[in-house]
Structures are given as C-alpha cells and as structure tokens.
Amino acid sequence: MADKPSRRDQILNAAAELFARHGFHGVGIDDIGAAVGISGPALYRHFRSKDAMLGEMLTSISERLLDGGQKRVDAASSAEEALSELVGWHVDFALDDPALITVQARNLANLTDPDRRRVRALQRRYVEVWVETIRRTVDGFDEPTARAAAHAVFGLINSTPHSAHLDRDQMAALLSRMALASLRPAVVTS
C-alpha cells in the first residue's frame, strides 16, 4: 500500500494540475485551496506564497529527474543499458506526471531569480547525465551532437501531455522505441 501523500504534496499536486490547465497567473490561492478542501489563506501554513509553491514544485521536479536518472546510470552494467534506463525513466516521468511537464515548460519565467537559477543548474546537470551516456553509447557523437540529441529526445518524450492517445503501457513502449531509435546515428546523405 502506497503512503498517503502529505498535505504539502497534495497541495503541490493540485497546484500543478491547476497551473497546467489555467497557467500560473490564471490560478489564485483560493483555487488551489478549494482543490484540496481548505481555504486559500490556510495554504499559507504550508507555503509562504504562490511563488514559493511554484519554486518548490519546479525545483523538486528537477531534483527528482536528476537523482533518478543518475541512479539508473550508476546501476547499469553497460552504456546501452544506461541509455535504455534513462529513456525509460524519463518516459515514466512524462506519462505519470504530465501536468508537471506542462508547468515546467510554461512557468520557468515565473520563478524568482534564485529559484530559476537553482532549477536551471539542476536541469543542466540532468542534461549532462544524458550527454555523457549518449556519447558512451553512440559512436561518432561529439558533445554538441549528443547535447542536441538529448534535447530532441526530451522534446519527443515531453510531448506526452499532447500526444498520449494510447493506453499507458502502449504509449510507454512507443515512446521508448522512438527515443532509442532516434539516437542511432542518422545516415548522412548528400
């Protein structure tokens, strides 16, 4: 039996759904409170502001992606397995938390400067995990090519809030196959 989410987590989950649906500026503190069955002002017992809520949400997403990705790479017995695990990890995240993908894509500019710097630093570290793994796996990919490939794969996988037309398992298999196939070096034609 899974642990019941803390009140703080319930608030963050509700806020993520609302921010994804209506945008950060389209959601008030009362909307978030109503979504979790408390008054808007009662949220201030858990977060100092709506900005703080967004900052914690996007920082925790970035930390979770980085930590989970690094653990999978470290546990893999080969570069190919590491790449497959990274792809699976990111696919699972995208399918299980589509609202967070949408919030992250749309609301980075709404973070306070310190939160934005922290999130960007974590995102860069996550990209580096991918770049290093891709370079170990795909012959002939220099660093800029591996970086471009990582971002292209993120674009493919992170499209799930708009493209999930199959059941979860089918969508996961499709995204994983497509992502791994896209990392095979393209045949250069003139």
Side-chain angles (χ1 to χ4, degrees):
M1 180 181 210
D3 291 338
K4 181 178 177 185
S6 70
R7 179 55 109 181
R8 192 173 182 87
D9 289 338
Q10 291 172 353
I11 293 167
L12 285 173
N13 291 337
E17 291 293 330
L18 290 168
F19 293 164
R21 204 171 310 129
H22 305 290
F24 179 72
H25 295 297
V27 175
I29 204 80
D30 289 332
D31 300 319
I32 299 166
V36 294
I38 61 176
S39 71
L43 291 176
Y44 293 118
R45 282 184 246 151
H46 302 278
F47 297 93
R48 69 183 185 286
S49 66
K50 189 171 80 164
D51 291 336
M53 203 178 299
L54 180 65
E56 183 171 325
M57 184 185 305
L58 295 185
T59 299
S60 67
I61 293 166
S62 300
E63 288 171 341
R64 191 168 74 178
L65 282 169
L66 174 60
D67 292 345
Q70 189 64 63
K71 284 177 186 169
R72 281 155 181 80
V73 168
D74 291 346
S77 60
S78 69
E80 292 78 15
E81 181 184 343
L83 185 60
S84 182
E85 288 292 322
L86 269 179
V87 166
W89 165 242
H90 202 95
V91 165
D92 286 343
F93 173 77
L95 291 174
D96 294 341
D97 293 304
L100 293 176
I101 298 248
T102 301
V103 171
Q104 188 171 27
R106 291 183 186 162
N107 292 290
L108 195 60
N110 293 320
L111 290 172
T112 63
D113 286 338
D115 284 339
R116 187 173 29 258
R117 283 191 297 273
R118 174 97 172 114
V119 167
R120 284 291 196 202
L122 289 163
Q123 288 175 336
R124 281 190 298 273
R125 289 175 53 203
Y126 183 58
V127 169
E128 290 311 310
V129 171
W130 277 78
V131 168
E132 291 169 17
T133 304
I134 290 169
R135 290 195 68 203
R136 288 190 354 244
T137 308
V138 182
D139 289 334
F141 270 25
D142 59 12
E143 186 175 328
T145 304
R147 188 172 313 286
H151 284 284
V153 169
F154 296 155
L156 168 71
I157 296 170
N158 290 347
S159 71
T160 56
H162 314 288
S163 66
H165 301 290
L166 303 171
D167 74 34
R168 193 209 182 280
D169 291 341
Q170 291 172 320
M171 197 68 197
L174 177 65
L175 286 170
S176 293
R177 279 193 316 271
M178 291 175 70
L180 289 168
S182 73
L183 291 168
R184 292 191 182 101
V187 175
V188 178
T189 61
S190 46

